Structures are given as C-alpha cells and as structure tokens.
Amino acid sequence: MIEKVSLFTKKRDFFLFLLTSLAIFTVSIFIEYKNYKEFVRFDSALVEATVLMQYTKTKDSKTHQVLKLKSDDGLTFHTTSKKSLQDVKGKKLQLEIFMGEIGFYEYLTQFYVKSKLLQIKENSAPRQKVNDFIASAHENKNIANVYQALYTNESVDKDTQNAFSNLGVSHIVAISGFHLSILSALLYFLLRPIYRFFQDRFFPYRNSKIDLFIIVVSVLFAYMLFLDSPPSLVRSFGMFVVGFVLYDRGVEVFSMQTLLVTILLLLAFFPRLSFSLGFWLSAGGVFYIFLFLIHFKNWSAFWQLMGISVLVYIFMLAVSLFIFQNFSIYHPLSIILSLLFTPFYPISILLHFIGFGDFFDSFLEWLLVLGRDGAKVELNLYLFLLHVLISFAAIWSRIAMWALIAFSSFILVYAIYYVA
C-alpha cells in the first residue's frame, strides 16, 4: 500500500498558504464592508424576509412577538411586532426596517431593528412546499417541526430545543456534517450499481470514483443551496470536497492539516462564518474525531466506531456545558441515540415518501418528554480553557490524550452528580 504524504512538507509552503488565505480574507472583508455601507446608507430600507422563528416575550409587563428573520440577501435579524400578530413562521414578510445604530459586527452576525410590517405573503418557495409536505404527515406540530429541522434546516421552538439539548442530541437536530456523511454514503451506494451498469457497456475507461464523487458532490451542493447554506453544512461540504481532492492526490486526509486548511479557506471566502457558533461547534466535533484517529487509528473499525462515539461525546461535553449549560441525567444517552440516528435518518426519509412518515412519532414524543426536565450545569472559564489547552496538547502527546480522557470523564461525573 502506498503511504499517504502530508499536505505541507515544508514550513515555507504552509506560511505561503497562510498569507494567501489572509489576502483572500482581507478582500472578502472589504467587499462585506462595502455592502454594509450600502445597506446603512439610508435611515430605512424595504426588505423581504422569511420568518425563521416566532415567540412571545414579556418585558416590563408588556407582551410582544419576537421575530427572527432572514432576508433575501442573506441577512439575519430580529424585530418585534404586536402581541396579536398571527402565526407567520415560514411566511415571507415585506418590511420597512429602520437602521438605528447597526454596527459592522452586527451586520456580519445578527442585529435587532425596529420595523413596520407592510405585507404578509405565503411562502411559495420549494423549501416551504417540502415543509408543508412534512407537516401533512404528522398530527403533532412539534414532531413535524423536528423532521423539518432534520430535512430542511428549519428552526425548532425553544421548548423542543431545550429538550434535545438536555438529552445531548442538539447536534442531531441541526443539520451538519453528520447528516452530510450519511447522505453522501447513501447516494454513493445507491448510484454505484447504476453507474457500473452503464460503465461496463459504454465507458469502461472512466474512473468510477471520480465520476461518482462529482455526481454526489453536485447533489449535495444543490441540497446545501436549497437549505440556504447553513454554516455547519458549509464546513462539512468544504471538508468533503477538500478531503476527496487530497485523497485523490495521495495526501493524508484524516489529519489536523486537512481540517486547518478547510477552516482557513472557508473563513477566507466566507468571513461571516467567523462569527457562527454552529460552524465552530461542527469544526470542534471533527477536531476530536481526528484527535481520536491520531492515537487509535490501529483499532478495528468496530472499536473505532465505539471509541469515537464515546470519546467525542465526553470531549464535546465540556464545550456544551460552557456554552449552553443544559444537562440531565439522560444526557449520556446521546451516545446511543447518535449511533441509532445513522439508520434512522435514511429510513425516516423513505417512510415519508411512502406515506408512513409518522412511524417514529411516538418514540420522538417520548424523547421530548424525557428531555423536558433538565438543569443548568455551568463550567467556568478556567476549566474550559484548561480543557482546550489539553486538547491541543493531545495532538502531539499521548500522555496529554489520556489526560484529556481523564479530565473529560471527571466533567461528566461532576455533571451527573450535580443533577442526580
């Protein structure tokens, strides 16, 4: 077997890549800043935006509706409306928004604006039609919302979000590389026999791996655009493409170099990703998978699967507790639930197509009830930074890897003891 080579064999090559990425990032930021200045040029602007979330909030004895929207230009913002506003989630609104004091940072991330609602439109986009099809298969609105999150990246309501966070399965509901890997494998094995049939008869000289990759990546790219390019999916798609290109050229794919190159390239071309929590959580998950493979790559496939499921869970737990603080006694069940999700995801898609989309509804309702009761378990900044420091040290040190396992296990025991 030909030994895989490293992506960068000389420090000079790596620094040239860094300088190139920095130059591209500078140009991208300049373009974003130019768009920002154009956006805030006037005191108000007319925009059309789709409602991602809608919920009621009470402050100073006054109740109003809070709307999270995404404009046709890709800007995400919040606004408020009167209490009596109808359910407009998923609908398209025409608004006059008043700029106020929107800074460049807020423009790149999310901002709040006062607005005047001019018109409510039914969303006739293909994505909304898919959401309507999903909703028609379920009596429980919350369960329909879960499937919409799984297939079309819809936002789930706060109660559902907290329930899944308490169970440690938020990463399953939010579309990311986990979903992309399942879909890519499914597409490959479905298309492979069809491709081989035509290849044997018409083009035996073609490279099946490259052709199938082009077909699969084209489908996944179209799907990513269909979902409005969520950051975690952009990261995983970028890594999928970069990984295959490197693999085809005999370069080691499962390495920290590959992850770093993918992150830097994506940030260079899409600087908004710098401020996306979903992007960094997705990258963190891959970091710990690669960290595991660095130290335990000689394990059998079965034990690698088990090891990644358990260790990535406890490694990411510290990150989850520092950011979200949600935990329950059932949180460790996410290890099993994550393993079960691999067959569940494609089967649930098939069931929706053949009219049995509600087959797993009772199970999902049970999960929502199970995740209803949770507690806030905080991890202070110093412990989190220590966790990050040990994690990076573990790239080069086996001792640090075992220290990371021990430290992460301690955090898990502490969290269970806290809620027990």
Side-chain angles (χ1 to χ4, degrees):
M1 181 181 292
I2 300 175
E3 185 178 351
K4 298 289 184 180
V5 298
S6 298
L7 180 57
F8 297 109
T9 55
K10 298 179 181 178
K11 290 182 179 180
R12 183 190 66 180
D13 296 336
F14 178 68
F15 283 113
L16 283 174
F17 171 76
L18 282 180
L19 288 174
T20 304
S21 299
L22 181 60
I24 297 172
F25 179 79
T26 303
V27 173
S28 299
I29 282 290
F30 175 77
I31 293 172
E32 288 285 3
Y33 188 74
K34 183 180 178 182
N35 293 337
Y36 159 71
K37 296 300 288 185
E38 185 66 26
F39 179 69
V40 298
R41 182 179 175 186
F42 301 105
D43 293 335
S44 67
L46 295 178
V47 299
E48 288 198 352
T50 302
V51 180
L52 304 178
M53 290 185 68
Q54 178 181 3
Y55 58 92
T56 303
K57 186 175 182 179
T58 301
K59 185 177 181 181
D60 298 329
S61 301
K62 294 181 179 179
T63 302
H64 54 264
Q65 298 274 358
V66 178
L67 305 178
K68 181 180 179 181
L69 305 104
K70 187 169 188 178
S71 72
D72 291 347
D73 296 327
L75 300 177
T76 303
F77 62 96
H78 291 79
T79 191
T80 54
S81 184
K82 56 187 178 180
K83 179 183 176 182
S84 58
L85 180 68
Q86 67 186 71
D87 184 3
V88 291
K89 184 178 178 182
K91 295 184 178 180
K92 183 158 285 192
L93 308 184
Q94 187 180 59
L95 303 157
E96 180 181 8
I97 62 173
F98 304 97
M99 297 306 171
E101 298 293 331
I102 301 176
F104 184 48
Y105 171 77
E106 286 76 18
Y107 173 81
L108 291 176
T109 53
Q110 297 182 20
F111 54 88
Y112 169 81
V113 287
K114 292 182 179 179
S115 66
K116 180 181 179 181
L117 179 58
L118 302 177
Q119 189 178 3
I120 301 174
K121 301 179 180 180
E122 289 297 330
N123 194 343
S124 58
R127 183 175 168 186
Q128 186 58 41
K129 292 180 180 179
V130 174
N131 284 332
D132 293 340
F133 169 75
I134 295 170
S136 67
H138 306 275
E139 294 182 3
N140 188 320
K141 186 178 178 181
N142 289 332
I143 300 302
N145 191 204
V146 171
Y147 280 110
Q148 289 167 347
L150 288 173
Y151 305 151
T152 67
N153 198 42
E154 283 294 299
S155 300
V156 295
D157 65 75
K158 285 197 169 185
D159 290 339
T160 303
Q161 192 175 39
N162 285 333
F164 282 126
S165 185
N166 288 335
L167 293 174
V169 292
S170 296
H171 64 287
I172 290 178
V173 181
I175 291 181
S176 64
F178 192 13
H179 305 72
L180 198 73
S181 61
I182 296 173
L183 290 175
S184 59
L186 183 65
L187 284 170
Y188 180 81
F189 287 110
L190 286 176
L191 293 172
R192 188 179 181 185
I194 300 173
Y195 179 90
R196 285 287 177 84
F197 175 82
F198 288 101
Q199 183 188 35
D200 292 343
R201 288 160 177 77
F202 303 108
F203 39 85
Y205 52 89
R206 296 287 303 177
N207 186 316
S208 62
K209 287 183 179 180
I210 293 178
D211 286 350
L212 285 171
F213 168 77
I214 293 173
I215 296 171
V216 170
V217 83
S218 298
V219 174
L220 294 179
F221 182 70
Y223 181 57
M224 184 179 69
L225 295 180
F226 174 74
L227 299 183
D228 290 333
S229 305
S232 57
L233 200 60
V234 172
R235 192 280 312 157
S236 55
F237 180 81
M239 188 143 199
F240 181 63
V241 174
V242 171
F244 183 84
V245 172
L246 297 180
Y247 169 80
D248 189 55
R249 283 155 178 73
V251 177
E252 178 66 40
V253 174
F254 298 108
S255 71
M256 294 301 178
Q257 283 189 356
T258 307
L259 178 59
L260 181 61
V261 165
T262 305
I263 291 174
L264 291 178
L265 284 176
L266 289 173
L267 294 180
F269 286 102
F270 310 103
R272 287 175 182 268
L273 293 176
S274 305
F275 309 102
S276 169
L277 180 60
F279 174 82
W280 291 111
L281 288 175
S282 178
V286 177
F287 170 85
Y288 284 120
I289 291 173
F290 284 6
L291 188 62
F292 174 89
L293 293 174
I294 287 173
H295 294 284
F296 306 111
K297 61 184 177 182
N298 294 325
W299 287 13
S300 67
F302 173 79
W303 286 113
Q304 281 189 357
L305 176 63
M306 295 298 106
I308 288 173
S309 300
V310 174
L311 292 183
V312 172
Y313 165 75
I314 64 170
F315 293 160
M316 287 297 294
L317 179 62
V319 180
S320 175
L321 293 180
F322 177 72
I323 298 173
F324 304 110
Q325 293 96 42
N326 288 353
F327 194 80
S328 75
I329 196 68
Y330 303 109
H331 199 279
L333 282 177
S334 67
I335 298 171
I336 299 173
L337 293 174
S338 296
L339 288 170
L340 292 176
F341 184 76
T342 302
F344 166 83
Y345 192 49
I347 291 172
S348 68
I349 295 174
L350 175 63
L351 290 174
H352 277 83
F353 276 114
I354 63 176
F356 294 94
D358 60 348
F359 184 80
F360 293 110
D361 282 16
S362 297
F363 174 70
L364 291 176
E365 288 171 357
W366 173 73
L367 280 182
L368 289 178
V369 172
L370 200 65
R372 188 179 298 164
D373 297 322
K376 293 290 183 181
V377 180
E378 295 184 10
L379 188 71
N380 68 49
L381 177 62
Y382 297 108
L383 288 176
F384 173 70
L385 291 177
L386 178 59
H387 177 80
V388 172
L389 181 63
I390 299 173
S391 297
F392 281 113
I395 298 175
W396 300 279
S397 170
R398 185 74 171 231
I399 295 175
M401 181 62 174
W402 287 111
L404 179 64
I405 294 172
F407 185 71
S408 301
S409 300
F410 166 77
I411 292 174
L412 173 61
V413 172
Y414 164 75
I416 294 174
Y417 174 79
Y418 187 88
V419 300

